Amino acid sequence: MGVVDVRQPLAGHEDQGQGLRSGVWRRDVLQEVAPDLPVVPGALTDYRQQASFDWKQLRVALEDPEILRVKMNLWRKLEADPVFAHPRVTPPMEEQKRRVAVQLRRFLDLNIIPQEVHNWSYKDKTRFMMAINAATSSWNKNLSVKFGLGVSLFTNALLSLGTDRHLSFYDAVWDNRFLFALGMTEVGHGSNTKQVRTTATYDPETQTFIINTPDFEAAKCWAGNLGKTCTHIMLFAQLITANDTCHGLHAFLVPIRDPETLTPYPGIKVGDIGEKAGLNGIDNGFAMFDNYRIPRENLLNRTGDVTPDGEYESCFQNPEQILGAALENLLAGRVAISQESTHDLCAAVTISVRYAAVRKQGGPRNAKEELSIIEYPLHQWRLFPYVAASCVFKVFIGDFTDQYLDLVEQSYKGAEMKDLTSVAAEVHAIVSAMKPLITWTCASALQESREACGGHGYLKASQLGTMRADHDATVTYEGDNNVLLQQTSNWIVRNWPYAKQGNTSAILDASPLGTLHCLINAAEKLKEQFTGTSIDDVLNPNFVKSSYEWLVCWLTQSLDNQLQKLKSSGLDRFTARGEVHAFYAKPLALVFGESNALSYFWEKIKTPGLSSEIKNIMERLYVLYGLWGIQRNLALFYRGGFASGPKMADLVQEACQAVCSSLKPEIVSVIDAIAHPDSVIKSILGRSDGKIYDHLYDAYMSQQGNMGRPAWWHEVSAKPQSKL
Amino acid sequence: MGVVDVRQPLAGHEDQGQGLRSGVWRRDVLQEVAPDLPVVPGALTDYRQQASFDWKQLRVALEDPEILRVKMNLWRKLEADPVFAHPRVTPPMEEQKRRVAVQLRRFLDLNIIPQEVHNWSYKDKTRFMMAINAATSSWNKNLSVKFGLGVSLFTNALLSLGTDRHLSFYDAVWDNRFLFALGMTEVGHGSNTKQVRTTATYDPETQTFIINTPDFEAAKCWAGNLGKTCTHIMLFAQLITANDTCHGLHAFLVPIRDPETLTPYPGIKVGDIGEKAGLNGIDNGFAMFDNYRIPRENLLNRTGDVTPDGEYESCFQNPEQILGAALENLLAGRVAISQESTHDLCAAVTISVRYAAVRKQGGPRNAKEELSIIEYPLHQWRLFPYVAASCVFKVFIGDFTDQYLDLVEQSYKGAEMKDLTSVAAEVHAIVSAMKPLITWTCASALQESREACGGHGYLKASQLGTMRADHDATVTYEGDNNVLLQQTSNWIVRNWPYAKQGNTSAILDASPLGTLHCLINAAEKLKEQFTGTSIDDVLNPNFVKSSYEWLVCWLTQSLDNQLQKLKSSGLDRFTARGEVHAFYAKPLALVFGESNALSYFWEKIKTPGLSSEIKNIMERLYVLYGLWGIQRNLALFYRGGFASGPKMADLVQEACQAVCSSLKPEIVSVIDAIAHPDSVIKSILGRSDGKIYDHLYDAYMSQQGNMGRPAWWHEVSAKPQSKL
């Protein structure tokens, strides 16, 4: 797997590149991406002293230090600039929007994406922008969404769907003159994009497209930036030429507001969709068009164009490039979301694990001191698997992003990859499993962390409530999770016949990235049975690996059987797929995702040069993440005949508890390895000094006017009465 | 099970009492508690026509019509009064607090709890107040919490812990002159109340108690109303007399603010703890006391008193009464939360199921029209079990509340119940399982509903985000869910030896309410094995009942075995309990809760006079709720030897899908039976007319100034540039 070279913008560090990539990291480099933690007396320091490994080494094993450096660097810039400061109290809705809009302007002015980045290779540029995006998202998800939709995702889409005649838009966006919104979703249609009903009808007389919204259900909606601030929308509409001939969905650049005055143009009904459950710094909007004309050239014409006199011409001169463009458009957003969610997952466990180490409650009768709640096995079982998931996903998403960007870059270059179609399908299947898996894991980690921090976790200052509300959108946008999973399971089951036939080379062809290798020798694997007799037979990576392989094979086989059965009973394909979704397709796609994440993590553990301490801790995290999933899916192992009798369930459960217990002295240092800086976590419960009560005290005391009576006291005080 | 008589405040309805309690309901009565629904062309009407039963009959079968009437009546009052109107946009934090404080005043002025209620029997009064509380909670959870903590829970606690000398406080609170906060939790201690460190030291010279907060970790915190509005706190503190003799935790009435000016008294540092993840209309506060003096009489002296010259006297003259008081104090809040959460659960599925019926997306190739998303089996499996849970919990909490209040009333009366101690323990165990089970089920229903409504579900106007944020507190407050579950499992396992010995009469003694009857003949039950061969063997209530009985027995036995093993290996009791919490105790308590809820529901199905249509739909809901749980716990059935081979898992899964499919034409009418009025649901997606796009249009269009440019446009518009 390649490592992206993002050294250019980091002047002065060029000479350290090599050092960063060997197994042993130079001290000054470590200090930059993993600055020393405060050493103050207290529980965190005590636990840190119990760890068997150096957290800084784990940090750079889990994430490419070059990427870490880009992020740390950005965070330092944001921290230093008061425009990006976090308000103590949630401002009114309108003010939230204003703040983020101003922050975006400042973000662009700060030259955070230096000019030269635009000249880098696609992969280097995108890798860099994605690191910036993920880091910005952890600072303020509103800002990263506003920037992503309005600038970076838009310009990417522009490059892949547009042609030279649209380059001025590219410059105008980066120069802060234009701001975009992306207009696919309509009021009546989210997931089913084929049903988009907005039309763009070509009029040869004026050489314009006439945009129309047939009714409210076809109004564009939810587009971020559309509500109040965008100057343009990249509008997806049905392209229609003479005699009502429809050429399907195309993208158009449509002016919405005068960039100088932000006044909407006539012919558009545009506004904000109103308050949401989170992300209220984003002005999500709606728009309805009434015979609204745009120039012919505003059609993004890479895949098809209309001549001045109204002839439609498709331009499939290079299918590989088109494929790459499609890939890029569909997937970049989902990869970015997976990165952001991995960040949020790390932040969630940073807060709850540090709190669990410091917070004391209860203990054995007559004990001198109360126990840290992290000492309770239930508490370990509630939180540690999410810590393991954080590490596993961090490695997966880092290495997979590299692969993914390689692929897009090769397709842009028109590389002669005979298996490009296969890779594209595989990448699509991976992303369609991983975005749901990672976002759902993050959502439950946030909830579990909130609960594990008790009442204090319900304070805004814990940050968990805000994160939950903001993160929640990710399970829906850029492809609803349940819908996406079906795409993965469709792909897997399509390849099942090869597995059944023992056609290994067909599997290798279908899965150039290797994610389907688990289906090789499926028939043999499906005969395997659990033979473990002691906890050691379960507490090891091989058991995890082979169990997951069995599970993927069994679920694929079952899904296939079920589909065949339904089809032969006369059901059409659509209905049959609906019938198997809940109990076969969805579990298969999720298990495939877990298995896949584990594979990437396992590859990473084998990296030459890692110290034995680091390998050891990573192996235990691998085992915990794997056993967590196996435990959740135990019934399937029994159902499929892999297990019988109590043994497997007994041992898996025992092993889960044992690995949690073995991680207890390590976990605070694992958190240090994946934690963002305190200024990014923004939680009084999750700071690296562990002084939760001091920070709580400050939070209570520093609210302005907090200890006086409220301004509205006279509205609720008692009528004059004799005093007590 | 008794039916509470709450007819007094509903003048003019006295004559209908009998009619309400027979199996067939009079039309005019039905019309009052189940008003006709709008008949408009559309999906909801279409589905309603497919139902096999009369939703109004189901409505009154699931909830006592007398209680329903109290609630409907209250909702009509709140709806008519602009003070209780819901703001379109979330107001600033401070304004949220002001609004709720003003609403509370109005609530008391409206005489919603009529004067005569105070003269009713304990049970009648409390049942009425609980109905008011649950209904208020669905209107605005902030208001019900403010009222509950400040008035109703406080006055209940006062009656059980105080004596005649405190009655003036009772009157002052109901008269709107005083407002209370309840002060148990401290910054450093929530769950472990034994560790409360605030002290009240008696000074005979001045005949006062001197309240002190030793340090910030002992500051009272989280108390609702303490932040800005309460005049007093019911403070829990260690009572200390001469020579530093500590007599343990006692409750004191402590003045905080001048009721006329709301200015805090000197000697107290008191303020608001700041913004939270939800419930920001409540002023949760902190307080620290510095040699703060209160009169000796402010000690609530039912269980112990201090003489003027400083002698401590305990007053255990009537242990049964004390027991009742303790029960009341510990449990009333948890029962109330279970009622509120059942309401929220009903509201969640009302929104998501109605939306699923109306929303169309996708469908078979070449189909004329898209499918309602409720037609997709996955969507059914995501939502319908929560609908079943709503019905099951609604019945459970109604009938259990009656039992619980009977018990408390009897204990107040000093009834000679030789098994009062047993009932008290059993009630405590039930509540400690049900509050976690219901609140967690509600939390996941809210999340699943939010996701099932897609992007529109993320709009504030869907109501799901607000409900999730507000509801989230319930899993923590009044006893953390995980901690409570341990109390249930402790109680169950304590009775296991009787089951093992086949000592049926001991079980009957230990479980007067019958919740442990499933342990009778445990040895026989544990030998049972799954013998089903077709889906009909699974799709029936007997299978659900016997499977749950097996599961409770097996988990209890396993928990007991495990505890014995750990104890004999030398672990102390506290540590052993910690070791078994995650994998034995917690699942046992939850499964016990599910089984228990099912039992109450089953009793209800057997009510004489129910029509066969109603029995039939209730039976299917029973089966769905049961199979949902069995499916989730399948691995345990294999582990414990109840099942082997694929058959049970196959059939259970098939049955889950089949029962969902059979409920599809019924589900909209089931929702009508449990839905609150539109004005209470407050969701544009969940209204009874199903016109989601009309309401969405109104929501978009009616925001003031929404379609103009933002006031801050000049801060973010482009510098003058040539226009596009």
Side-chain angles (χ1 to χ4, degrees), chain A residues 90 98 187 189 192 259-261 272 275 277 359 370 450 455 458 468-469 472 579 639 650 653 657 706 715 718 721, chain B residues 90 98 187 189 192 222 259-260 272 275 277 359 370 450 455 458 468-469 472 579 639 650 653 657 706 709 715 718 721:
Chain A
T90 303
R98 188 196 67 82
V187 168
H189 288 97
N192 192 6
E260 286 176 36
T261 67
D272 196 277
E275 192 174 345
R359 176 76 168 182
E370 292 186 284
R450 202 305 285 154
Y458 196 62
R468 179 180 57 198
D472 185 30
E579 290 288 326
R639 187 173 174 191
D650 285 351
Q653 178 179 305
Q657 204 140 343
N706 181 33
E715 295 183 64
Q721 294 289 345
Chain B
T90 304
R98 186 196 69 83
V187 168
H189 288 97
N192 192 6
W222 273 103
E260 287 176 35
D272 196 277
E275 192 174 343
R359 175 76 168 181
E370 292 186 285
R450 202 304 286 154
Y458 196 63
R468 178 180 58 197
D472 185 31
E579 290 288 326
R639 187 173 174 192
D650 285 351
Q653 178 179 303
Q657 204 140 342
N706 182 33
R709 62 181 176 184
E715 293 183 66
Q721 295 289 344

Coordinates of all heavy atoms in Angstrom, one line a residue, chain A residues 90 98 187 189 192 259-261 272 275 277 359 370 450 455 458 468-469 472 579 639 650 653 657 706 715 718 721, chain B residues 90 98 187 189 192 222 259-260 272 275 277 359 370 450 455 458 468-469 472 579 639 650 653 657 706 709 715 718 721:
Chain A
T90 N -24.6 27.2 23.1 CA -25.1 27.1 21.7 C -25.7 28.4 21.3 O -26.7 28.9 22.0 CB -26.1 26.0 21.6 OG1 -25.4 24.8 22.0 CG2 -26.5 25.8 20.2
R98 N -24.3 32.0 10.8 CA -23.4 33.1 10.4 C -22.0 32.8 10.8 O -21.1 32.9 10.0 CB -23.8 34.4 11.2 CG -23.1 35.6 10.8 CD -23.2 36.8 11.8 NE -22.5 36.4 13.1 CZ -21.2 36.6 13.3 NH1 -20.4 37.0 12.4 NH2 -20.7 36.2 14.5
V187 N -37.6 16.5 -2.5 CA -38.4 16.3 -1.3 C -39.0 14.8 -1.3 O -39.0 14.1 -0.3 CB -39.6 17.3 -1.3 CG1 -40.7 16.9 -0.3 CG2 -39.1 18.7 -1.0
H189 N -37.8 12.2 -3.1 CA -36.8 11.2 -3.5 C -35.4 11.4 -2.9 O -34.8 12.4 -3.2 CB -36.7 11.0 -5.0 CG -37.9 10.4 -5.6 ND1 -38.9 11.1 -6.1 CD2 -38.3 9.1 -5.6 CE1 -39.9 10.3 -6.5 NE2 -39.6 9.0 -6.2
N192 N -33.7 6.9 -4.1 CA -34.0 6.4 -5.4 C -33.7 7.5 -6.4 O -34.6 8.2 -6.9 CB -35.5 6.0 -5.5 CG -35.8 5.2 -6.8 OD1 -34.9 4.9 -7.5 ND2 -37.0 4.9 -7.0
P259 N -23.6 36.9 -6.3 CA -22.5 36.7 -5.3 C -22.1 38.0 -4.6 O -21.6 37.9 -3.5 CB -21.3 36.3 -6.3 CG -21.9 35.8 -7.5 CD -23.2 36.6 -7.7
E260 N -22.5 39.1 -5.1 CA -22.1 40.4 -4.4 C -23.1 40.7 -3.3 O -22.8 41.4 -2.3 CB -22.0 41.5 -5.4 CG -20.7 41.4 -6.2 CD -20.7 42.5 -7.2 OE1 -21.2 43.7 -6.9 OE2 -20.2 42.3 -8.3
T261 N -24.4 40.4 -3.5 CA -25.4 40.8 -2.6 C -26.1 39.7 -1.9 O -26.9 39.9 -1.0 CB -26.5 41.6 -3.4 OG1 -27.2 40.7 -4.3 CG2 -25.9 42.7 -4.2
D272 N -34.2 28.2 3.5 CA -33.7 27.3 4.4 C -34.7 26.3 4.8 O -35.9 26.7 5.0 CB -33.1 28.1 5.6 CG -32.2 27.2 6.4 OD1 -32.7 26.4 7.3 OD2 -31.0 27.4 6.3
E275 N -34.8 24.2 11.2 CA -33.9 23.6 12.2 C -33.9 22.1 12.1 O -34.8 21.5 11.7 CB -34.5 24.0 13.6 CG -33.6 23.7 14.8 CD -34.1 24.2 16.1 OE1 -35.1 25.0 16.1 OE2 -33.6 23.7 17.1
A277 N -31.9 18.3 13.8 CA -31.5 17.6 15.0 C -30.0 17.9 15.4 O -29.6 17.7 16.5 CB -31.7 16.1 14.9
R359 N -13.0 8.6 37.2 CA -14.2 8.5 38.1 C -14.2 7.3 39.0 O -14.1 6.2 38.6 CB -15.4 8.5 37.2 CG -16.8 8.3 37.9 CD -17.2 9.6 38.5 NE -18.6 9.6 38.9 CZ -19.2 10.6 39.4 NH1 -18.6 11.8 39.6 NH2 -20.5 10.6 39.8
E370 N -12.7 4.2 46.9 CA -13.6 3.7 45.9 C -12.8 3.2 44.7 O -11.7 3.7 44.5 CB -14.7 4.7 45.6 CG -15.6 5.0 46.7 CD -16.7 6.0 46.3 OE1 -16.4 7.2 46.1 OE2 -17.8 5.5 46.0
R450 N -21.9 8.2 26.2 CA -22.7 9.2 26.9 C -23.2 8.5 28.2 O -23.1 9.1 29.3 CB -23.9 9.6 26.0 CG -24.5 10.9 26.3 CD -25.1 11.1 27.7 NE -26.3 10.3 27.9 CZ -26.7 9.9 29.1 NH1 -26.0 10.1 30.2 NH2 -27.8 9.2 29.2
G455 N -24.5 11.2 34.5 CA -25.0 12.5 34.3 C -24.0 13.5 33.7 O -24.4 14.3 32.8
Y458 N -24.1 13.9 30.1 CA -25.3 14.6 29.6 C -25.0 16.1 29.5 O -25.8 16.8 28.8 CB -26.5 14.3 30.4 CG -27.8 14.6 29.7 CD1 -28.2 13.9 28.6 CD2 -28.7 15.5 30.3 CE1 -29.5 14.2 28.0 CE2 -30.0 15.8 29.7 CZ -30.3 15.1 28.6 OH -31.6 15.4 28.0
R468 N -23.1 13.4 19.1 CA -24.2 12.4 18.7 C -25.1 13.1 17.7 O -25.5 12.5 16.7 CB -24.9 11.9 19.9 CG -26.0 10.9 19.6 CD -26.8 10.5 20.8 NE -27.3 11.6 21.6 CZ -27.7 11.6 22.8 NH1 -27.6 10.5 23.5 NH2 -28.2 12.7 23.4
A469 N -25.6 14.3 18.1 CA -26.5 15.0 17.2 C -25.9 15.2 15.8 O -26.6 15.1 14.8 CB -27.0 16.2 17.9
D472 N -25.2 11.9 13.7 CA -26.3 11.1 13.4 C -26.7 11.2 11.9 O -27.2 10.3 11.3 CB -27.5 11.6 14.2 CG -28.8 10.8 14.0 OD1 -28.7 9.6 13.7 OD2 -29.9 11.4 14.1
E579 N -37.0 -9.6 0.4 CA -37.3 -10.7 1.4 C -36.0 -11.1 2.2 O -36.1 -11.5 3.3 CB -37.9 -11.9 0.7 CG -39.3 -11.7 0.1 CD -40.3 -11.7 1.2 OE1 -40.2 -12.4 2.2 OE2 -41.3 -10.9 1.1
R639 N -26.3 -22.2 14.2 CA -27.2 -22.5 13.2 C -26.6 -23.2 12.0 O -27.1 -24.1 11.4 CB -27.8 -21.1 12.7 CG -29.0 -21.3 11.8 CD -29.6 -19.9 11.5 NE -30.6 -20.0 10.5 CZ -31.2 -18.9 10.0 NH1 -30.8 -17.7 10.3 NH2 -32.1 -19.1 9.0
D650 N -19.3 -20.7 25.6 CA -18.6 -20.5 26.9 C -17.2 -19.9 26.7 O -16.9 -18.9 27.4 CB -18.4 -21.9 27.6 CG -19.7 -22.4 28.2 OD1 -20.7 -21.6 28.2 OD2 -19.7 -23.6 28.6
Q653 N -17.1 -16.2 25.3 CA -17.5 -15.3 26.4 C -16.4 -15.1 27.4 O -16.0 -14.0 27.8 CB -18.8 -15.8 27.1 CG -19.2 -14.9 28.2 CD -20.5 -15.5 28.8 OE1 -21.5 -15.7 28.1 NE2 -20.4 -15.7 30.1
Q657 N -14.1 -11.6 28.2 CA -13.8 -11.0 29.5 C -12.3 -10.9 29.8 O -11.8 -10.0 30.3 CB -14.6 -11.7 30.6 CG -14.9 -10.8 31.8 CD -16.3 -11.1 32.4 OE1 -17.2 -11.6 31.7 NE2 -16.4 -10.6 33.6
N706 N -24.2 33.6 36.1 CA -24.8 32.3 36.4 C -25.4 32.2 37.8 O -26.3 31.6 38.1 CB -23.8 31.2 36.1 CG -24.4 29.8 36.4 OD1 -25.6 29.6 36.2 ND2 -23.6 28.9 36.9
E715 N -41.3 37.3 36.8 CA -42.4 36.6 36.2 C -42.7 35.3 36.9 O -43.8 34.7 36.7 CB -42.0 36.2 34.7 CG -41.8 37.4 33.8 CD -41.5 36.9 32.4 OE1 -42.4 36.3 31.8 OE2 -40.4 37.1 31.9
A718 N -42.7 34.4 43.9 CA -44.0 34.3 44.7 C -44.5 35.7 44.9 O -43.7 36.7 44.9 CB -43.7 33.6 46.0
Q721 N -45.0 37.3 50.5 CA -45.4 36.3 51.5 C -44.6 36.5 52.7 O -43.4 37.0 52.6 CB -45.3 34.9 51.0 CG -46.1 34.5 49.8 CD -47.6 34.4 50.2 OE1 -47.9 34.3 51.4 NE2 -48.5 34.4 49.3
Chain B
T90 N -36.0 26.5 18.2 CA -35.5 26.4 19.6 C -35.0 27.8 20.1 O -34.1 28.4 19.5 CB -34.3 25.4 19.7 OG1 -34.7 24.2 19.1 CG2 -33.8 25.2 21.1
R98 N -36.9 30.3 30.9 CA -37.9 31.2 31.3 C -39.3 30.6 30.9 O -40.3 30.6 31.7 CB -37.7 32.6 30.6 CG -38.7 33.6 31.1 CD -38.7 34.9 30.2 NE -39.4 34.5 28.9 CZ -40.7 34.5 28.7 NH1 -41.5 34.8 29.6 NH2 -41.1 34.2 27.5
V187 N -21.3 16.1 43.1 CA -20.4 16.1 41.9 C -19.7 14.8 41.8 O -19.5 14.2 40.7 CB -19.4 17.3 42.0 CG1 -18.3 17.1 40.9 CG2 -20.2 18.6 41.7
H189 N -20.4 11.9 43.4 CA -21.2 10.7 43.7 C -22.6 10.7 43.1 O -23.4 11.6 43.5 CB -21.3 10.4 45.2 CG -20.0 9.9 45.7 ND1 -19.1 10.7 46.3 CD2 -19.4 8.7 45.6 CE1 -18.0 10.0 46.6 NE2 -18.1 8.8 46.2
N192 N -23.6 5.9 43.9 CA -23.2 5.4 45.3 C -23.7 6.4 46.3 O -22.9 7.1 46.9 CB -21.7 5.2 45.3 CG -21.3 4.4 46.5 OD1 -22.2 3.9 47.3 ND2 -20.0 4.3 46.7
W222 N -26.7 18.8 39.7 CA -27.7 18.2 38.8 C -29.2 18.4 39.2 O -30.1 18.1 38.5 CB -27.5 16.7 38.5 CG -26.5 16.5 37.4 CD1 -25.2 16.2 37.5 CD2 -26.8 16.7 36.0 NE1 -24.6 16.2 36.2 CE2 -25.6 16.5 35.3 CE3 -27.9 17.1 35.3 CZ2 -25.5 16.6 33.9 CZ3 -27.8 17.2 33.9 CH2 -26.6 17.0 33.2
P259 N -38.2 33.7 48.2 CA -39.3 33.5 47.3 C -39.9 34.7 46.6 O -40.4 34.6 45.5 CB -40.4 32.9 48.2 CG -39.7 32.4 49.4 CD -38.6 33.3 49.6
E260 N -39.7 35.9 47.2 CA -40.2 37.1 46.6 C -39.3 37.7 45.6 O -39.8 38.3 44.6 CB -40.5 38.1 47.7 CG -41.8 37.8 48.5 CD -42.0 38.8 49.6 OE1 -41.7 40.0 49.4 OE2 -42.4 38.4 50.7
D272 N -26.5 27.6 38.0 CA -26.9 26.6 37.0 C -25.7 25.8 36.5 O -24.6 26.4 36.3 CB -27.5 27.4 35.8 CG -28.3 26.5 34.9 OD1 -27.7 25.8 34.0 OD2 -29.5 26.4 35.1
E275 N -25.4 24.3 30.0 CA -26.1 23.6 28.9 C -26.0 22.1 28.9 O -24.9 21.6 29.3 CB -25.6 24.2 27.5 CG -26.5 23.8 26.4 CD -26.0 24.5 25.1 OE1 -25.2 25.5 25.1 OE2 -26.5 24.0 24.0
A277 N -27.3 18.1 26.9 CA -27.6 17.5 25.7 C -29.1 17.6 25.3 O -29.5 17.4 24.2 CB -27.2 16.1 25.7
R359 N -44.6 7.4 2.7 CA -43.4 7.6 1.9 C -43.2 6.5 0.9 O -43.2 5.3 1.2 CB -42.2 7.6 2.8 CG -40.8 7.8 2.1 CD -40.6 9.2 1.6 NE -39.2 9.4 1.2 CZ -38.8 10.5 0.7 NH1 -39.6 11.6 0.6 NH2 -37.5 10.6 0.3
E370 N -44.2 3.7 -7.3 CA -43.2 3.3 -6.3 C -44.0 2.6 -5.1 O -45.1 2.9 -4.9 CB -42.4 4.5 -5.9 CG -41.5 5.0 -7.0 CD -40.6 6.1 -6.4 OE1 -41.0 7.2 -6.2 OE2 -39.4 5.8 -6.3
R450 N -35.8 7.6 13.8 CA -35.1 8.7 13.1 C -34.4 8.2 11.8 O -34.6 8.8 10.8 CB -34.0 9.2 14.1 CG -33.5 10.7 13.9 CD -33.0 11.0 12.5 NE -31.7 10.4 12.2 CZ -31.2 10.2 11.0 NH1 -32.0 10.4 9.9 NH2 -30.0 9.7 10.8
G455 N -33.7 11.5 5.8 CA -33.3 12.9 6.0 C -34.4 13.7 6.7 O -34.2 14.4 7.6
Y458 N -34.4 13.9 10.3 CA -33.4 14.7 10.9 C -33.8 16.1 11.1 O -33.2 16.9 11.8 CB -32.1 14.6 10.0 CG -30.8 15.1 10.7 CD1 -30.3 14.4 11.8 CD2 -30.1 16.1 10.2 CE1 -29.2 14.8 12.4 CE2 -28.9 16.5 10.8 CZ -28.5 15.9 11.9 OH -27.3 16.3 12.5
R468 N -35.3 12.3 21.2 CA -34.1 11.5 21.6 C -33.2 12.3 22.6 O -32.8 11.7 23.6 CB -33.3 11.2 20.3 CG -32.0 10.4 20.6 CD -31.2 10.2 19.3 NE -30.9 11.4 18.7 CZ -30.5 11.6 17.4 NH1 -30.4 10.5 16.6 NH2 -30.2 12.7 16.9
A469 N -33.0 13.5 22.4 CA -32.1 14.3 23.3 C -32.7 14.4 24.7 O -32.0 14.2 25.7 CB -31.9 15.7 22.7
D472 N -33.0 10.8 26.5 CA -31.7 10.2 26.8 C -31.4 10.3 28.3 O -30.7 9.3 28.8 CB -30.6 11.0 26.0 CG -29.2 10.3 26.1 OD1 -29.2 9.1 26.3 OD2 -28.2 11.1 26.1
E579 N -17.9 -9.6 38.3 CA -17.4 -10.5 37.2 C -18.6 -11.0 36.4 O -18.4 -11.4 35.2 CB -16.6 -11.6 37.8 CG -15.3 -11.3 38.4 CD -14.3 -11.0 37.3 OE1 -14.3 -11.6 36.2 OE2 -13.4 -10.1 37.5
R639 N -26.6 -22.6 23.5 CA -25.6 -22.8 24.6 C -26.1 -23.6 25.7 O -25.4 -24.5 26.3 CB -25.2 -21.4 25.1 CG -24.0 -21.4 26.1 CD -23.6 -20.0 26.4 NE -22.6 -20.0 27.4 CZ -22.3 -18.9 28.0 NH1 -22.8 -17.7 27.7 NH2 -21.3 -19.0 29.0
D650 N -33.8 -21.3 12.2 CA -34.5 -21.2 11.0 C -36.0 -20.8 11.2 O -36.5 -19.8 10.6 CB -34.5 -22.5 10.2 CG -33.1 -22.8 9.5 OD1 -32.2 -21.9 9.6 OD2 -32.9 -23.9 9.0
Q653 N -36.6 -17.3 12.8 CA -36.4 -16.2 11.8 C -37.6 -16.1 10.8 O -38.1 -15.1 10.5 CB -35.1 -16.5 11.1 CG -34.8 -15.5 10.1 CD -33.5 -15.8 9.4 OE1 -32.4 -15.9 10.1 NE2 -33.5 -16.0 8.1
Q657 N -40.4 -13.0 10.3 CA -40.7 -12.3 9.1 C -42.2 -12.5 8.8 O -42.9 -11.6 8.3 CB -39.9 -12.9 7.9 CG -39.7 -11.9 6.8 CD -38.3 -11.8 6.2 OE1 -37.3 -12.2 6.8 NE2 -38.2 -11.3 5.0
N706 N -37.4 33.6 5.8 CA -36.6 32.5 5.3 C -36.0 32.6 3.9 O -35.0 32.2 3.6 CB -37.4 31.2 5.5 CG -36.6 30.0 5.1 OD1 -35.4 30.0 5.3 ND2 -37.3 29.0 4.6
R709 N -32.3 37.3 1.9 CA -30.9 37.0 2.2 C -30.7 37.1 3.7 O -31.5 37.9 4.4 CB -30.0 37.9 1.4 CG -30.2 39.4 1.8 CD -29.3 40.3 0.9 NE -29.6 41.7 1.2 CZ -29.0 42.7 0.5 NH1 -28.1 42.4 -0.4 NH2 -29.3 43.9 0.8
E715 N -21.1 40.0 5.4 CA -19.9 39.4 6.0 C -19.4 38.3 5.2 O -18.2 37.9 5.3 CB -20.2 38.9 7.4 CG -20.6 40.0 8.4 CD -20.8 39.3 9.8 OE1 -19.8 38.8 10.4 OE2 -21.9 39.4 10.3
A718 N -19.3 37.9 -1.9 CA -18.0 38.1 -2.6 C -17.7 39.6 -2.8 O -18.7 40.4 -2.7 CB -18.1 37.5 -4.0
Q721 N -17.5 41.6 -8.2 CA -16.9 40.8 -9.3 C -17.8 41.0 -10.5 O -19.0 41.3 -10.4 CB -16.8 39.4 -8.9 CG -15.9 39.1 -7.8 CD -14.5 39.2 -8.1 OE1 -14.1 39.2 -9.3 NE2 -13.6 39.3 -7.1

